[in-house]
Amino acid sequence: MNIVKIKGIVASNIFLNGVAEWILNTYTVVRKKITGSYTKNKEDKIALKLLEEIMDKPINRIKYVDIGANHYRRGNNSYLFYERGARGILVEADPELCKRLRKHRREDIIVNAAIGGGIETVPFYILSLPTRSSMDKENVEKSVKEGLEIKQVIDIPCKNLNDLLNEYCFEPDYLSVDIEGMDFQALSMLDFTKHKIKVIIAERTDKENDKGESMDIYMKRQGYDVYKYLGSNVIYQLKRQRFVAENVK
């Protein structure tokens, strides 16, 4: 039995899930005290330090958008920012996870939706391991082969990322994307001529767009350099000259 299937069984059992949650939350608190980070590869800490270096504003004035927020704290790329006084928008497709986000991130804007384009709703697959739930059918089929079960399929609102930012009149400094294999697609929707986000974290992928570009090549064309690879994630930084030019305007 593989580790993914074991995690799914634990998550589906109320008692075992409660014990696992307690252990994981305790581990998260201990890890934060030791490393200063809530994430596995210190993505949040590195992104925060980078933003503090390139932006002339206190941390509590930094704005973020976290797509695929999932757990309000554990493994979350924006909780460290929230803890320091920054505020932003959290986008999460799973309605149960949104309930927790609303409870623990009261000063953030919580949006229960998927990020997409051209359609009003999209099927969302809730798996026996919530962290693997997704609207990407290919990713879901892979998880099922690894031993997870599809608990429910629900239709959720689908929002274009540009429309979301316009709806809330929100211009983020920091963007985190973690939507199980659809990160590149979400980034491809963003109007980079209008939104000059300083730091972006996304999950790496081998997929190419219809021009045959990898995610790194596409982001370079939009004015971003790879700052660092961290496990399955990559941090992009807006090229310094473009950031300076935007501030001069």
Side-chain angles (χ1 to χ4, degrees), residues 24 114 123 150 159 168 176 249:
L24 290 171
I150 299 175
K159 290 181 176 285
Y168 291 98
S176 171
K249 290 180 180 179

Side-chain angles (χ1 to χ4, degrees), residues 11 25 28 31 58 72 89 111 118-119 139 186 206 221 233:
N25 286 333
T28 298
R31 180 170 64 185
Y72 75 94
I89 298 174
V111 179
I119 51 177
N139 221 41
D206 294 328
R221 188 160 59 82
N233 293 326

Side-chain angles (χ1 to χ4, degrees), residues 28 31-33 35-39 41-52 59-60 62 64 66 71-87 90 105 108 174 176 201:
T28 298
R31 180 170 64 185
K32 168 57 167 54
K33 288 186 177 181
T35 68
S37 171
Y38 288 107
T39 60
N41 298 301
K42 303 180 186 177
E43 290 93 339
D44 55 347
K45 184 178 179 180
I46 292 169
L48 177 58
K49 183 179 179 182
L50 178 57
L51 280 162
E52 288 178 323
I59 177 61
N60 63 359
I62 288 176
Y64 54 77
D66 191 342
H71 193 275
Y72 75 94
R73 177 176 64 179
R74 188 172 65 240
N76 185 282
N77 287 332
S78 64
Y79 187 75
L80 183 63
F81 289 74
Y82 184 82
E83 187 179 61
R84 301 283 184 87
R87 296 294 181 262
L90 308 182
R105 304 280 289 267
D108 279 333
Y174 169 52
S176 171
I201 292 181

Side-chain angles (χ1 to χ4, degrees), residues 38-177:
Y38 288 107
T39 60
K40 182 179 179 181
N41 298 301
K42 303 180 186 177
E43 290 93 339
D44 55 347
K45 184 178 179 180
I46 292 169
L48 177 58
K49 183 179 179 182
L50 178 57
L51 280 162
E52 288 178 323
E53 288 176 354
I54 65 177
M55 296 190 68
D56 186 23
K57 67 166 66 173
I59 177 61
N60 63 359
R61 290 184 57 201
I62 288 176
K63 297 179 180 180
Y64 54 77
V65 172
D66 191 342
I67 301 174
N70 203 275
H71 193 275
Y72 75 94
R73 177 176 64 179
R74 188 172 65 240
N76 185 282
N77 287 332
S78 64
Y79 187 75
L80 183 63
F81 289 74
Y82 184 82
E83 187 179 61
R84 301 283 184 87
R87 296 294 181 262
I89 298 174
L90 308 182
V91 183
E92 173 55 50
D94 190 325
E96 289 301 315
L97 289 172
C98 280
K99 289 179 183 178
R100 293 188 184 183
L101 290 171
R102 291 189 179 100
K103 178 180 178 180
H104 296 283
R105 304 280 289 267
R106 294 179 184 273
E107 295 185 40
D108 279 333
I109 297 168
I110 313 300
V111 179
N112 183 197
I115 294 299
I119 51 177
E120 292 185 0
T121 63
V122 64
F124 181 73
Y125 298 82
I126 299 177
L127 303 182
S128 50
L129 182 60
T131 54
R132 297 289 286 270
S133 297
S134 176
M135 58 182 180
D136 184 343
K137 195 168 184 179
E138 182 181 334
N139 221 41
V140 169
E141 289 173 352
K142 178 183 176 183
S143 295
V144 170
K145 287 179 180 179
E146 291 178 309
L148 298 184
E149 297 179 2
I150 299 175
K151 295 178 65 178
Q152 191 178 4
V153 182
I154 59 175
D155 287 331
I156 56 170
C158 190
K159 290 181 176 285
N160 179 283
L161 182 52
N162 298 299
D163 293 341
L164 178 72
L165 297 179
N166 292 335
E167 180 181 346
Y168 291 98
C169 299
F170 199 81
E171 188 57 43
D173 305 299
Y174 169 52
L175 171 65
S176 171
V177 187

Side-chain angles (χ1 to χ4, degrees), residues 2 25 64 72 98 116-118 122 144 178 185 187 193 204-205 217 222 226:
N2 62 55
N25 286 333
Y64 54 77
Y72 75 94
C98 280
V122 64
V144 170
D178 186 359
Q185 182 178 333
L187 290 176
T193 63
R204 296 164 67 185
T205 178
I217 295 298
Q222 306 308 319
V226 172

